[in-house]
């Protein structure tokens, strides 16, 4: 609805471009982020700047979140000066990857205050956030999900998973386990090829024309690994958090994840060696070091 005011908290790598698309679509925004550098481009485009999450939730009845971790989401919503202290908010939409346990607990706490909680984790990375081609996984009360669907469609394609809080988060965790696993296994295959004498660009072209193609060989290798830039736009700490949440959830459900546990450890190694702020494509650097090769395009 053109002109409708929305709240947006957490406008970093993903939230920034998503909020920008809402402005493009004609929504007005009230934004808050603990890092002023994140809000500046949106304020320059006319977004109203709030000093706290509570102020956002006193300005807008619908508040969107794109925040790093489950504890941060929980404290921004339920903590002091949090969203639940606002006097206008009726619906909170969580675009973050928060995992099902935090989502369930927050939905319950907000429900007691007559505030709706919608899980809407997204997949497709920064390029998808910029282009509006994300997969948006939705769970929560169906009537509310239907009402806010036009907002979520600004970000990409929506998939309603059910009314149970956190259900969409489970889908997102499964997706992100696969995205990280694709980097790990593709790095192993490419390191072997390079060590044997193959040009990694030729090998990527072969895989992408063959049955081994995946999100790492199609996107991450060409953009950030073959170029040596390691700048895909997703922090190692956040990928590690997602895979940890995934393996923990599987364990709680009684689903063995033998390979998932290995992917989790590969992210633990990458996090320890290259730091939480490194890009998650740095997984390839760990395997490069073990193999004693670099997977770089010869064209650069
Ligand atoms: P980011 O760190 O770039 O952005 C998070 C923003 O939240 C930052 O601007 C930060 O300043 C702000 N913030 C942190 N603590 C805050 C607080 N207490 N109050 C207000 N603002 C606070 O992270 P991101 O990559 O944009 O990821 C955001 C969420 O989206 C995460 O849950 C992540 O797992 C998920 N996600 C990321 C990607 C990706 O490719 N980057 C893709 C899909 C989903």
């Amino acid at each position: 609805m053109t002109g409708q005011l929305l709240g947006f908290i957490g406008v970093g790598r993903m939230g920034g471009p998503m909020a920008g698309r809402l402005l493009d679509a004609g929504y007005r925004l009230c934004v808050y982020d603990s890092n002023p550098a994140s809000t500046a481009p949106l304020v320059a485009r006319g977004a109203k700047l709030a000093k706290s999450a509570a102020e956002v939730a006193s300005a807008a009845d619908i508040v969107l979140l794109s925040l790093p971790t489950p504890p941060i989401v929980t404290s921004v919503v339920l903590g002091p000066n949090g969203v639940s202290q606002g006097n206008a908010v009726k619906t909170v939409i969580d675009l973050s990857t928060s995992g099902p346990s935090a989502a369930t607990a927050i939905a319950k706490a907000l429900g007691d205050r007559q505030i709706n909680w919608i899980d809407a984790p997204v997949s497709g990375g920064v390029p998808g956030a910029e282009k509006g081609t994300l997969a948006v996984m939705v769970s929560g009360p169906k009537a509310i999900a239907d009402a806010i669907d036009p907002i979520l469609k600004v970000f990409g394609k929506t998939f309603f998973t059910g009314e149970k809080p956190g259900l969409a988060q489970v889908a997102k965790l499964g997706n992100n386990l696969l995205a990280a696993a694709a980097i790990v296994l593709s790095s192993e295959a490419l390191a072997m090829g390079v060590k044997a004498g193959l040009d990694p660009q030729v090998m990527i072209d072969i895989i992408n024309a063959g049955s081994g193609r995946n999100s790492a060989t199609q996107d991450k290798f060409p953009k950030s690994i073959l170029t040596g830039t390691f700048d895909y736009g997703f922090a190692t700490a956040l990928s590690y958090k997602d895979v940890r949440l995934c393996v923990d959830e599987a364990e709680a459900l009684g689903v063995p994840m033998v390979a998932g546990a290995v992917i989790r450890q590969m992210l633990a190694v990458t996090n320890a060696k290259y730091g939480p702020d490194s890009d998650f494509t740095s997984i390839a650097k760990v395997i490069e070091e073990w193999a004693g090769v670099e997977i770089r395009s010869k064209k650069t």
Side-chain angles (χ1 to χ4, degrees):
M1 188 200 306
T2 305
Q4 184 182 359
L5 179 73
L6 303 174
F8 207 122
I9 302 172
V11 285
R13 290 187 186 93
M14 291 296 286
M18 284 194 275
R21 289 192 60 82
L22 290 173
L23 290 176
D24 292 342
Y27 290 94
R28 292 179 300 126
L29 291 184
C30 176
V31 296
Y32 172 67
D33 191 296
S34 51
N35 177 5
S38 296
T39 47
L42 297 163
V43 173
R45 292 189 56 197
K48 181 177 180 292
L49 182 63
K51 289 188 209 66
S52 68
E55 198 179 305
V56 172
S58 289
D61 61 346
I62 297 176
V63 176
L64 299 105
L65 314 174
S66 179
L67 294 161
T69 63
I72 292 175
V73 172
T74 304
S75 88
V76 166
V77 176
L78 301 176
N81 256 332
V83 172
S84 62
Q85 313 286 306
N87 52 32
V89 63
K90 293 200 180 75
T91 300
V92 184
I93 304 171
D94 186 21
L95 304 161
S96 331
T97 308
S98 305
S101 301
T104 305
I106 300 170
K108 166 87 180 65
L110 288 184
D112 293 345
R113 300 171 203 212
Q114 279 74 52
I115 300 171
N116 299 299
W117 175 258
I118 295 284
D119 306 295
V122 299
S123 177
V126 175
E130 287 166 348
K131 285 183 256 164
T133 57
L134 296 169
V136 187
M137 297 149 257
V138 185
S139 48
K142 178 79 167 71
I144 306 295
D146 286 345
I148 56 124
D149 195 55
I151 298 170
L152 297 182
K153 283 208 160 74
V154 171
F155 307 138
K157 187 170 179 188
T158 56
F159 298 85
F160 184 71
T161 60
E163 297 218 329
K164 188 176 160 191
L167 199 55
Q169 292 286 347
V170 177
K172 168 67 180 164
L173 295 184
N175 177 83
N176 277 29
L177 170 65
L178 290 172
I183 301 179
V184 173
L185 281 171
S186 303
S187 298
E188 291 184 353
L190 267 290
M192 175 186 74
V194 170
K195 198 149 191 180
L198 281 161
D199 179 339
Q201 181 64 61
V202 172
M203 196 167 167
I204 284 286
D205 292 344
I206 292 167
I207 291 169
N208 285 340
S211 56
R213 72 179 170 278
N214 61 69
S215 59
T217 59
Q218 289 181 309
D219 298 333
K220 280 110 192 175
F221 275 80
K223 181 172 187 292
S224 304
I225 300 173
L226 295 186
T227 55
T229 50
F230 298 95
D231 60 350
Y232 193 74
F234 189 38
T236 296
L238 295 186
S239 179
Y240 183 26
K241 171 239 348 176
D242 292 349
V243 174
R244 240 176 16 230
L245 286 169
C246 182
V247 175
D248 287 352
E249 182 63 18
E251 194 165 81
L253 289 166
V255 177
M257 278 200 175
V258 177
V262 173
I263 303 305
R264 173 181 171 150
Q265 288 310 312
M266 281 304 300
L267 278 156
V269 172
T270 308
N271 197 64
K273 186 161 175 59
Y274 292 102
D277 296 331
S278 64
D279 193 81
F280 81 146
T281 52
S282 303
I283 292 169
K285 287 202 260 187
V286 173
I287 292 164
E288 288 176 349
E289 190 185 331
W290 290 345
V293 293
E294 282 195 342
I295 308 166
R296 296 290 172 275
S297 170
K298 291 182 178 162
K299 288 176 200 152
T300 56

